[in-house]
């Protein structure tokens, strides 16, 4: 949630292994590019905050101050050393307490009083319209931090011009209601500054929640033409629950996976932590949480981040009905008058007010902290989109058609190919795209979602999820860390039928050649002919012939596992990727409502044929991946030679 703090952690973890990558190839537009100014409504903590003293002097108090952090480390070096020793002996509480105390001191100026007012005189650093315009910022050598979400913003400016790129600033500690009403005033300022009658909005994370609340309150003014909300915290953020409950369970494996995607690393490093026992980190964080709560416990934005299904319980535990009455009053209004009606409000914006609202969300990975639900690493998919999701680790059973609460058109298939997401219940079923393994804040690290976002923001090329087959509603991320991407030759992406005769495999790396060593299937008696397959050069595709039979049914899951070698990559020479495809090959399977879920795990692989204890030993010694890789290769080879049936 704390973007800048997370950036420090990310940098330390992989400082000596990777470098940030460029944005990549330009997007080709078919439609005319809009001449409306673009407003970036950025993610949490993006605006610079200053402490104003009694003389009016301003001192920036939000940001990473390495000198201050170093001073704190030096001053507490004995306590930190003692904490590390105790942690090594199994007692992490002392270290967490030391860290928590220093975090609270560092962020003292950020505190909010019990009545919701700021404890100190805090102001947003740049609020003048000129200081939020990219051209003005660059021409006048203003701090480059004023260019929020810079990777995205510089890319957009290439098409609309720096003079048409603006950055909304706000005190992000305050209620999302305050931020949304501030956005309304800011849009009026941008319209006056540019002489245009409308604007376009690109929003990220917390900015997505701000924009959704703005549209709910002010969409009727028709000041916005296109609004693209990427990985938005529309219905809240699970990490806020973790911060208030202290129920923290750091998923180190997913955290490293998250970092890999952010830096677009070629290859896999998460196995390095999978083999280690790092549970002590949870105890360190849990011990620090009470001190963090002392800082953020009265922030209106934190309370507005609490999803509806957790709100009442946490409110009763952490807010006093008398002392915190102003905070409760405003957050109650946000939750029960706005958040509870997002489905209706966002639909009204599109259908009555002509605002082209679109959502791009990540799915398929858990939160890196406490909540173990379908998410983009930080925000639950349910909160980003309004969609119903299967419990993490499970999927809807074959035959599931969706609840149809927001779209009941039988010709629209809003259930993901993996059977994990039911988009028929979402805020905008026809205008929400789901990118599996699109991690939070990484829309422009994925060619598909970047292109989609730009086209919806700047043109009218894409009207809904049905209008362009190149942009299906459900898509697997093509971040190059995923290694490979596959689809079948004669079916829409994510689908499979007997019409398909081969798999198209794309090498996502722009640096390393890839050699596909095996492709195995679950849910169909198929064999992929990988023997003799040529090496796939960076960015190129190859055809893999497929033979065998598929069940003559539809609405059932087939999983495909691809193992590959990343040649010349000495750090991570092998990898695997699992894809889900929905069968479209005959009579629809009848859904068993009495057994709505089944395990989502891939059922072919070495880990499924050995004793759990053996598998645990392989994981702890760090050799599970290579053993599984060899096993899959052997099974695939036997199948291609026609003797695989004798091994069953």
């Amino acid at each position: 949630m704390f973007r800048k703090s997370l950036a420090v952690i990310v940098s330390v973890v992989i400082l000596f292994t990777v470098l940030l990558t460029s944005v990549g190839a330009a997007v080709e537009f078919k439609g005319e590019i809009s001449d409306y100014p673009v407003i970036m409504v950025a993610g949490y903590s993006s605006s610079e905050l200053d402490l104003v003293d009694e003389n009016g002097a301003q001192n920036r108090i939000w940001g990473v101050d390495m000198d201050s952090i170093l001073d704190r480390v030096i001053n507490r070096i004995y306590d930190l050393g003692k904490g590390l020793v105790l942690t090594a002996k199994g007692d992490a509480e002392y270290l967490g307490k030391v860290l928590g105390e220093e975090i609270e001191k560092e962020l003292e100026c950020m505190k909010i009083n019990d009545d919701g007012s700021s404890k100190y005189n805090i102001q947003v650093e740049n609020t003048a319209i000129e200081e939020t315009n990219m051209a003005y910022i660059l021409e006048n050598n203003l701090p480059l931090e004023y260019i929020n979400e810079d990777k995205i913003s510089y890319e957009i400016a290439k098409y609309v011009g720096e003079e048409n790129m603006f950055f909304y600033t706000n005190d992000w500690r305050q209620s999302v209601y305050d931020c949304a009403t501030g956005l309304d005033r800011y849009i009026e300022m941008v319209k006056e500054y540019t002489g245009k009658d409308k604007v376009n909005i690109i929003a990220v994370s917390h900015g997505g929640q701000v924009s959704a609340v703005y549209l709910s309150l002010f969409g009727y003014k028709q000041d916005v033409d296109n609004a693209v909300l990427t990985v938005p915290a529309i219905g809240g953020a699970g990490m806020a629950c973790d911060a208030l409950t202290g129920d923290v369970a750091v998923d180190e494996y997913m955290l490293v996976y998250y970092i890999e995607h952010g830096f677009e690393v070629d290859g896999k490093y998460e196995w390095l932590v999978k083999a280690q026992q790092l549970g002590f980190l949870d105890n360190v964080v849990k011990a620090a949480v009470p001190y963090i709560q002392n800082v953020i416990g009265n922030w209106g934005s934190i309370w507005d981040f609490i999803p509806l299904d957790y709100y009442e319980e946490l409110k009763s535990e952490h807010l006093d009905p008398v002392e915190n009455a102003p905070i409760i009053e405003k957050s109650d209004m946000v939750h029960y008058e706005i958040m509870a009606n997002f489905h209706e409000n966002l639909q009204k914006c599109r259908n009555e007010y002509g605002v082209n609202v679109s959502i791009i969300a990540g799915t398929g990975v858990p939160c890196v902290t406490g909540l173990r639900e379908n998410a983009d690493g930080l925000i639950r998919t349910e909160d980003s989109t309004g969609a119903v999701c299967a419990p993490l680790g499970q999927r809807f059973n074959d035959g599931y058609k969706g609840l149809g609460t927001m779209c009941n058109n039988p010709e629209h298939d809003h259930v993901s190919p993996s059977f994990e997401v039911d988009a028929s219940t979402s805020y905008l079923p026809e205008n929400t795209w789901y990118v599996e393994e699109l991690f939070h804040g990484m829309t422009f690290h994925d060619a598909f979602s970047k292109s989609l976002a730009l086209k919806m923001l700047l043109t009218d090329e894409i009207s809904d999820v049905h209008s362009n087959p190149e942009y299906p509603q459900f898509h697997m991320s093509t971040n190059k860390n995923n290694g490979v991407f596959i689809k079948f030759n004669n079916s829409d992406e994510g689908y499979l039928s007997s019409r398909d005769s081969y798999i198209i495999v794309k090498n996502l790396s722009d640096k390393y050649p890839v050699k596909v060593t095996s492709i195995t299937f679950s849910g169909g008696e198929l064999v992929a002919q990988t023997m003799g397959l040529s090496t796939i050069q960076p960015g190129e595709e190859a055809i893999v012939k497929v033979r065998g039979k598929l069940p003559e049914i539809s609405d059932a899951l087939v999983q495909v596992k691809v193992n590959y070698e990343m040649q010349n990559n000495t750090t991570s020479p092998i990898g695997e990727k699992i894809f889900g495809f929905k069968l479209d090959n005959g009579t629809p399977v009848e859904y068993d409502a009495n057994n709505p879920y089944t395990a989502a795990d891939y059922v072919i692989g070495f880990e499924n044929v050995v004793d759990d204890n053996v598998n645990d030993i392989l994981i702890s010694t760090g050799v599970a991946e290579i053993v599984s890789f060899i096993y899959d290769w052997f099974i695939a080879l036997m199948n291609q030679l026609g003797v695989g049936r004798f091994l069953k």
Side-chain angles (χ1 to χ4, degrees), residues 449-462:
S449 54
K450 182 183 87 168
S451 176
L452 175 63
L454 288 173
K455 286 177 181 289
M456 292 191 299
L457 177 69
L458 302 178
T459 76
D460 59 0
E461 286 183 38
I462 302 173

mmCIF file of all heavy atoms in Angstrom, residues 449-462:
data_model
loop_
_atom_site.group_PDB
_atom_site.id
_atom_site.type_symbol
_atom_site.label_atom_id
_atom_site.label_comp_id
_atom_site.label_asym_id
_atom_site.label_seq_id
_atom_site.Cartn_x
_atom_site.Cartn_y
_atom_site.Cartn_z
ATOM 1 N N SER A 449 -2.334 -5.314 -21.571
ATOM 2 C CA SER A 449 -3.078 -4.350 -20.762
ATOM 3 C C SER A 449 -2.656 -2.916 -21.069
ATOM 4 O O SER A 449 -3.475 -1.995 -21.015
ATOM 5 C CB SER A 449 -2.930 -4.664 -19.274
ATOM 6 O OG SER A 449 -1.584 -4.745 -18.900
ATOM 7 N N LYS A 450 -1.384 -2.724 -21.417
ATOM 8 C CA LYS A 450 -0.947 -1.381 -21.794
ATOM 9 C C LYS A 450 -1.650 -0.909 -23.060
ATOM 10 O O LYS A 450 -2.199 0.202 -23.114
ATOM 11 C CB LYS A 450 0.569 -1.356 -22.004
ATOM 12 C CG LYS A 450 1.099 0.026 -22.355
ATOM 13 C CD LYS A 450 2.587 0.025 -22.642
ATOM 14 C CE LYS A 450 2.861 -0.299 -24.089
ATOM 15 N NZ LYS A 450 4.270 -0.023 -24.471
ATOM 16 N N SER A 451 -1.651 -1.757 -24.075
ATOM 17 C CA SER A 451 -2.301 -1.405 -25.324
ATOM 18 C C SER A 451 -3.796 -1.174 -25.124
ATOM 19 O O SER A 451 -4.376 -0.208 -25.634
ATOM 20 C CB SER A 451 -2.072 -2.512 -26.362
ATOM 21 O OG SER A 451 -2.765 -2.252 -27.550
ATOM 22 N N LEU A 452 -4.424 -2.059 -24.349
ATOM 23 C CA LEU A 452 -5.856 -1.935 -24.076
ATOM 24 C C LEU A 452 -6.159 -0.619 -23.367
ATOM 25 O O LEU A 452 -7.094 0.110 -23.745
ATOM 26 C CB LEU A 452 -6.313 -3.116 -23.226
ATOM 27 C CG LEU A 452 -7.759 -3.121 -22.738
ATOM 28 C CD1 LEU A 452 -8.723 -3.179 -23.911
ATOM 29 C CD2 LEU A 452 -8.002 -4.302 -21.795
ATOM 30 N N ALA A 453 -5.372 -0.287 -22.345
ATOM 31 C CA ALA A 453 -5.606 0.941 -21.587
ATOM 32 C C ALA A 453 -5.479 2.170 -22.481
ATOM 33 O O ALA A 453 -6.313 3.090 -22.416
ATOM 34 C CB ALA A 453 -4.625 1.027 -20.419
ATOM 35 N N LEU A 454 -4.446 2.206 -23.300
ATOM 36 C CA LEU A 454 -4.233 3.371 -24.163
ATOM 37 C C LEU A 454 -5.343 3.514 -25.204
ATOM 38 O O LEU A 454 -5.814 4.626 -25.482
ATOM 39 C CB LEU A 454 -2.871 3.270 -24.841
ATOM 40 C CG LEU A 454 -1.659 3.503 -23.932
ATOM 41 C CD1 LEU A 454 -0.367 3.210 -24.676
ATOM 42 C CD2 LEU A 454 -1.650 4.921 -23.391
ATOM 43 N N LYS A 455 -5.763 2.409 -25.789
ATOM 44 C CA LYS A 455 -6.821 2.478 -26.801
ATOM 45 C C LYS A 455 -8.138 2.952 -26.194
ATOM 46 O O LYS A 455 -8.866 3.749 -26.799
ATOM 47 C CB LYS A 455 -6.990 1.111 -27.467
ATOM 48 C CG LYS A 455 -5.877 0.742 -28.435
ATOM 49 C CD LYS A 455 -6.073 -0.651 -29.012
ATOM 50 C CE LYS A 455 -4.940 -1.018 -29.967
ATOM 51 N NZ LYS A 455 -4.992 -0.263 -31.226
ATOM 52 N N MET A 456 -8.467 2.473 -24.991
ATOM 53 C CA MET A 456 -9.720 2.887 -24.361
ATOM 54 C C MET A 456 -9.648 4.321 -23.844
ATOM 55 O O MET A 456 -10.651 5.030 -23.808
ATOM 56 C CB MET A 456 -10.082 1.924 -23.229
ATOM 57 C CG MET A 456 -10.449 0.538 -23.723
ATOM 58 S SD MET A 456 -11.186 -0.513 -22.466
ATOM 59 C CE MET A 456 -9.862 -0.597 -21.264
ATOM 60 N N LEU A 457 -8.459 4.755 -23.445
ATOM 61 C CA LEU A 457 -8.291 6.114 -22.950
ATOM 62 C C LEU A 457 -8.327 7.147 -24.068
ATOM 63 O O LEU A 457 -8.935 8.219 -23.920
ATOM 64 C CB LEU A 457 -6.963 6.219 -22.198
ATOM 65 C CG LEU A 457 -6.579 7.605 -21.674
ATOM 66 C CD1 LEU A 457 -7.505 8.016 -20.537
ATOM 67 C CD2 LEU A 457 -5.118 7.630 -21.222
ATOM 68 N N LEU A 458 -7.695 6.823 -25.214
ATOM 69 C CA LEU A 458 -7.441 7.835 -26.233
ATOM 70 C C LEU A 458 -8.272 7.686 -27.500
ATOM 71 O O LEU A 458 -8.274 8.600 -28.334
ATOM 72 C CB LEU A 458 -5.955 7.824 -26.597
ATOM 73 C CG LEU A 458 -4.983 8.071 -25.434
ATOM 74 C CD1 LEU A 458 -3.540 7.980 -25.907
ATOM 75 C CD2 LEU A 458 -5.247 9.422 -24.789
ATOM 76 N N THR A 459 -8.942 6.558 -27.695
ATOM 77 C CA THR A 459 -9.725 6.350 -28.920
ATOM 78 C C THR A 459 -11.065 5.712 -28.583
ATOM 79 O O THR A 459 -11.349 5.401 -27.431
ATOM 80 C CB THR A 459 -8.977 5.434 -29.907
ATOM 81 O OG1 THR A 459 -9.076 4.070 -29.463
ATOM 82 C CG2 THR A 459 -7.517 5.809 -30.054
ATOM 83 N N ASP A 460 -11.862 5.512 -29.623
ATOM 84 C CA ASP A 460 -13.134 4.787 -29.464
ATOM 85 C C ASP A 460 -13.073 3.435 -30.171
ATOM 86 O O ASP A 460 -14.093 2.874 -30.558
ATOM 87 C CB ASP A 460 -14.298 5.619 -30.002
ATOM 88 C CG ASP A 460 -14.144 5.977 -31.477
ATOM 89 O OD1 ASP A 460 -13.130 5.570 -32.095
ATOM 90 O OD2 ASP A 460 -15.029 6.668 -32.022
ATOM 91 N N GLU A 461 -11.847 2.890 -30.325
ATOM 92 C CA GLU A 461 -11.669 1.620 -31.030
ATOM 93 C C GLU A 461 -12.384 0.462 -30.346
ATOM 94 O O GLU A 461 -12.925 -0.429 -31.003
ATOM 95 C CB GLU A 461 -10.172 1.273 -31.117
ATOM 96 C CG GLU A 461 -9.378 2.093 -32.107
ATOM 97 C CD GLU A 461 -7.935 1.608 -32.170
ATOM 98 O OE1 GLU A 461 -7.719 0.375 -32.091
ATOM 99 O OE2 GLU A 461 -7.025 2.454 -32.285
ATOM 100 N N ILE A 462 -12.368 0.445 -29.026
ATOM 101 C CA ILE A 462 -12.889 -0.696 -28.273
ATOM 102 C C ILE A 462 -14.076 -0.224 -27.443
ATOM 103 O O ILE A 462 -13.914 0.573 -26.512
ATOM 104 C CB ILE A 462 -11.804 -1.298 -27.355
ATOM 105 C CG1 ILE A 462 -10.594 -1.725 -28.195
ATOM 106 C CG2 ILE A 462 -12.351 -2.475 -26.559
ATOM 107 C CD1 ILE A 462 -9.406 -2.162 -27.373
#
